[in-house]
Amino acid sequence: MTKKEEFIRRAWCGVELPKWFQPRHWQNEAINAYQQKCILEGNSNFLLEACPGAGKTYQICATAYILKQLGLIEWFIICVPGDHLRRQLALDAMEWGFDLYATTGTCVVRDYQGEVVTYAQLSASKDTYKNRVLKHGGRVLIVADEVHHLGDQNTWGTDFTLAFSDAKYRLFTTGTPFRSDNNRIVGDWINYAVVNETLECVPDYRYGYDSAVRDGVVRPVIFPEYEANVSFWVGDQTYEMSLSEAKTKVEQSRCLKTAFNPEGGWIKDIIKEADQRLLEIREHTKHRNAAGLIVCQPYRDDDGSSYAKRIGELVHKLTSDKPIVVTYEDQDASELIEKFDKGGENSSRWIIAIKKVSEGVTIKRLRVCVFATNILTRMFFYQVMGRIIRVIPDLDNQTAYMYIPRHRTLEQYALEVKEAVAHLLENIDDFSNKNDGDSGEDGQEKESFELFMAGDSSAELDSHIFDGEIHGRYLIEEAINFKQKHNLLGYDEVALAKIMQDVENRYKQQDLKIKAQSERFNQNQKQLKHERIEQFKRVLHQSVRRLARLQLDLPKNRNKWQSWDKANHAEKIKMIWRELAREFGSYNEESSEEVLQKKYRYVQTEIEAILIPNSDNEYEDVEEEFKLWGDEELIAGEE
């Protein structure tokens, strides 16, 4: 490869990238799309949709690097949802040679190349950031990471548009381009198209989870789905049902509360199952420090203790692992997350959070997740899933697992993971009458004011959802038994189930093919046998007529006959047939080949008895005689 060819391969928009950075195929396509729209055509806004783990952070830094090298920007500001992301992005940017200001307080511009701020920080000081953009004459790149946080009607969204309306370059990134409310994302800066009477968010470039799994950029996720059989009290009445039987949202909410209750059996069973999965990954694959995440509901007991901390105590009791519990109340939450991320095989294997680890946080060693929250929005579900799909280089067999209750909303999300999901805006007038499933407590039914008390619960494996398909309980259990019997621990049972199913289908197809071939062979044999029998019948008929003529002593040459009595000839034939019937059974269409042969041999014996004394054997030419008498005459003599 020549130096020119090498430069073209590693150059974006004419700028040679750092030697250490190896862009993925989608990143090349995305930067080409950005170059066309924002550099060549002069458009300020670009929306990049890429699933978690695809490499959005490097794409952000690469875009800033290119604009800086081209002299198009003097400063850039990255906006993120929370503190941990602010620290993480600043560290990632250092690899590109950017020293970004990433704390609260006043930024001394001359000491940095840019800054990372939270949306809350931006909202509190929007005028400061607006002046920052104006000071640089608009030659600023604004990055809105996880841009779905910026709604048209919320404070963060309006303050963002106010602060950065004069910026010449705005890059929006997200892995979930939709909101759980009915607001557009940052107003006119994001394109929407009318599709089936709804407004659909249209990214300038999309790299979805389906493509990322196919390219090996992220991990495939399997969703073990567990039924919850629960009992609870409302007032003085007791209820027993399964989660899948719950018809109203109020019933579903009560079932979830009961299933998630630390005193019940469901959450205990799921924690033990998930931990066993984690231990299997650690012990039977090369991923020795694999870790798990439990996402908890934002709930407090009457004594003020948080649900997350109670689950942490339960995990310690059930697994002997001392988990890390991270909430927004913890001042050192970011440090705890970073420490957990770097943990080895002897470190804590479980981290427990409510929302703190749900978005943007990178902990590559996470392989297993337990979804134990009543926050049921599509966006939150996919954000949680995004925590366990980041690939570790040079590590085989990186399937991830997300344990969910058998709730119809979660099941639908799991089935739709491989499909493209856009931000659809419902009709504004109708939206107030619809429900997006934000939590198990929402819905048109109102929660009773009667006292609710959770009872016992139990978990029962229902299915595993993978690649848009439901794999039933019995097939999964069969695969688990096969895995244990043949010492295949570390292999996923869904993969084994698919192999077993493929083999079973192949054998079924082979059996059907063999059966069809056998039927064709049998049919051919029947046809051949039928033809042989018909041939025997014709020969037997000829022999009977010949015997009759011999017994009547008719000459071979018809011209020599003095007289010929047809009636005598026919009667003679009937006599022979009656004799054969007495000896071997009456003739019919079902006569076997063996019986026909016996009759034929008998008739031939009688013919030979007549012919042997005659040396000239004038009746030897059977074919000529058959032609002489003709078919119609032979048939007339049949019994």
Side-chain angles (χ1 to χ4, degrees), residues 109 166 178 189 241 278 397 434 476 508 563 603 614:
V109 175
D166 296 311
F178 44 82
W189 292 349
M241 66 177 67
L278 198 53
N397 188 18
K434 296 187 177 182
I476 294 299
K508 284 182 179 179
S563 64
V603 173
N614 303 321

Side-chain angles (χ1 to χ4, degrees), residues 618-630:
E618 60 180 353
Y619 291 103
E620 189 173 357
D621 192 351
V622 176
E623 181 179 356
E624 184 65 29
E625 186 176 346
F626 179 76
K627 292 179 180 178
L628 176 67
W629 291 94

Side-chain angles (χ1 to χ4, degrees), residues 372-424:
T373 176
N374 60 352
I375 303 174
L376 304 182
T377 62
R378 183 188 299 273
M379 182 173 66
F380 185 74
F381 181 86
Y382 290 152
Q383 287 173 349
V384 171
M385 185 194 79
R387 299 316 99 209
I388 58 174
I389 66 176
R390 298 175 186 272
V391 168
I392 298 174
D394 303 321
L395 185 65
D396 297 331
N397 188 18
Q398 293 196 45
T399 303
Y401 301 85
M402 185 167 167
Y403 287 77
I404 61 174
R406 193 190 178 194
H407 189 288
R408 63 197 66 173
T409 300
L410 300 178
E411 181 177 85
Q412 192 63 32
Y413 294 162
L415 287 170
E416 293 174 353
V417 160
K418 65 181 294 186
E419 300 176 2
V421 182
H423 179 198
L424 302 180

